[in-house]
């Protein structure tokens, strides 16, 4: 998408993920009758399920009965990337146009009754409390299970140094998560020095934009929706304003 605007993009992996509690995850997935549905706000939670399904016995149980039984219940998701992974394991996603946890929480509240069966929410250790808090306020039970931890990518510092030494100061830097801001910013400030003001900073969505602003970054654009098309259009507009 960026290439269509004549922009050259370099992707630098910022995060590494370690999956945990997978036995517990599959144990819970084995009992759809205990839950009112599923909630996913991250592709990583689906990756955790996929790892569980690599075991033949789990895969067989999933395809024979568990998948059909979960499909009688709602599967709530926050965006397109997560929705497509939900479809890959044979489930039907709802709410994919929400785009962030706040809007997904509203969507869930419009469909769920208070004090019904718990929704199962496989999530990361760094999850924000927005969705659990909103559902709790509305009396909709949610059972969170941490299935992955986020750490800094081992090559991050080296990748950034290499980029800056070869390409110079980038016209734009895009962040895709608050964790990305946390792990990257210090390195970027050090490498950019006084030239950091020459760079347009972009965010994939409002949550990331908030984290950037809290860290003292001026956000030049936030994608209207968390899609490649909207992000590319936003970056193009931000750069065009300054005739970069």
């Amino acid at each position: 998408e960026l290439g269509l605007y004549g922009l050259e993009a370099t992707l630098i992996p910022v995060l590494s993920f370690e999956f945990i509690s997978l036995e517990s995850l599959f144990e819970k997935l084995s009992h759809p009758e205990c839950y009112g549905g599923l909630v996913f706000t991250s592709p990583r939670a689906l990756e955790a399920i996929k790892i569980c399904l690599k075991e033949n016995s789990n895969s067989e149980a999933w395809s024979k009965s568990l998948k059909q039984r979960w499909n009688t219940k709602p599967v709530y998701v926050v965006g397109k990337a997560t929705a497509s992974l939900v479809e890959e394991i044979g489930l039907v996603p709802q709410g994919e146009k929400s785009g962030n946890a706040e809007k997904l929480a509203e969507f869930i509240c419009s469909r769920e009754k208070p004090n019904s069966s718990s929704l199962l929410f496989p999530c990361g250790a760094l999850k924000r409390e927005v969705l659990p808090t909103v559902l709790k306020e509305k009396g909709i039970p949610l059972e969170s299970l941490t299935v992955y931890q986020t750490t800094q990518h081992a090559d991050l510092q080296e990748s950034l140094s290499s980029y800056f030494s070869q390409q110079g100061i980038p016209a734009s830097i895009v962040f895709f998560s608050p964790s990305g801001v946390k792990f990257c910013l210090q390195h970027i400030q050090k490498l950019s020095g006084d030239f950091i003001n020459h760079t347009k900073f972009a965010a994939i969505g409002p949550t990331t934009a908030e984290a950037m602003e809290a860290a003292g970054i001026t956000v030049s654009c936030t994608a209207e929706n968390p899609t490649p098309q909207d992000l590319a259009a936003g970056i193009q507009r931000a750069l065009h304003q300054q005739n970069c």
Side-chain angles (χ1 to χ4, degrees):
E1 286 299 325
L2 289 163
L4 294 175
Y5 288 103
L7 302 171
E8 186 186 330
T10 302
L11 181 67
I12 294 178
V14 176
L15 309 175
S16 289
F17 301 99
E18 179 195 354
F19 294 97
I20 56 174
S21 309
L22 295 183
E23 282 184 19
S24 178
L25 171 61
F26 198 76
E27 174 60 27
K28 291 175 189 299
L29 288 173
S30 300
H31 294 283
E33 70 281 1
C34 297
Y35 299 98
L38 289 161
V39 180
F40 297 110
T41 58
S42 153
R44 255 68 55 190
L46 274 308
E47 285 171 32
I49 292 178
K50 284 184 155 189
I51 294 168
C52 293
L53 295 180
K54 279 181 180 167
E55 281 190 34
N56 286 340
S57 58
N58 291 353
S59 178
E60 200 174 321
W62 182 258
S63 53
K64 273 192 173 170
S65 73
L66 293 177
K67 180 171 64 177
Q68 289 87 326
R69 286 162 68 198
W70 278 113
N71 262 330
T72 64
K73 302 167 188 287
V75 181
Y76 297 110
V77 302
V78 83
K80 281 186 181 175
T82 308
S84 63
L85 288 169
V86 163
E87 287 166 352
E88 279 179 30
I89 61 167
L91 300 179
V92 180
Q94 294 183 23
E96 67 182 77
K97 289 185 179 164
S98 305
N100 62 42
E102 287 90 336
K103 287 182 184 164
L104 182 63
E106 285 172 25
F107 181 82
I108 293 171
C109 291
S110 71
R111 281 164 165 69
E112 294 291 324
K113 293 184 175 70
N115 305 317
S116 49
S117 299
S118 288
L119 299 170
L120 179 60
F121 178 33
C123 56
L126 296 177
K127 78 169 188 311
R128 291 167 74 237
E129 290 304 316
V130 172
L131 189 135
T133 302
V134 173
L135 296 193
K136 192 177 180 182
E137 283 168 2
K138 300 283 185 184
I140 296 164
L142 184 75
E143 185 180 319
S144 301
L145 175 68
T146 301
V147 295
Y148 67 92
Q149 294 171 333
T150 308
T151 55
Q152 179 177 311
H153 195 283
D155 301 329
L156 175 62
Q157 210 167 335
E158 193 184 324
S159 301
L160 284 169
S161 300
S162 164
Y163 176 92
F164 274 79
S165 63
Q166 289 170 25
Q167 312 263 358
I169 308 290
S172 176
I173 294 176
V174 187
F175 286 115
F176 290 85
S177 69
S179 329
V181 178
K182 176 182 153 190
F183 294 134
C184 270
L185 190 57
Q186 206 180 339
H187 302 312
I188 289 169
Q189 285 168 329
K190 201 172 166 185
L191 291 162
S192 300
D194 295 338
F195 293 100
I196 196 158
N197 297 331
H198 294 196
T199 298
K200 296 285 186 185
F201 284 93
I204 190 64
T207 307
T208 303
E210 279 169 29
M212 290 160 73
E213 282 161 2
I217 299 175
T218 301
V219 181
S220 296
C221 89
T222 303
E224 283 183 29
N225 295 292
T227 66
Q229 294 82 356
D230 284 310
L231 181 63
I235 292 169
Q236 167 69 1
R237 278 196 299 273
L239 293 176
H240 196 63
Q241 282 158 12
Q242 202 184 318
N243 297 322
C244 290

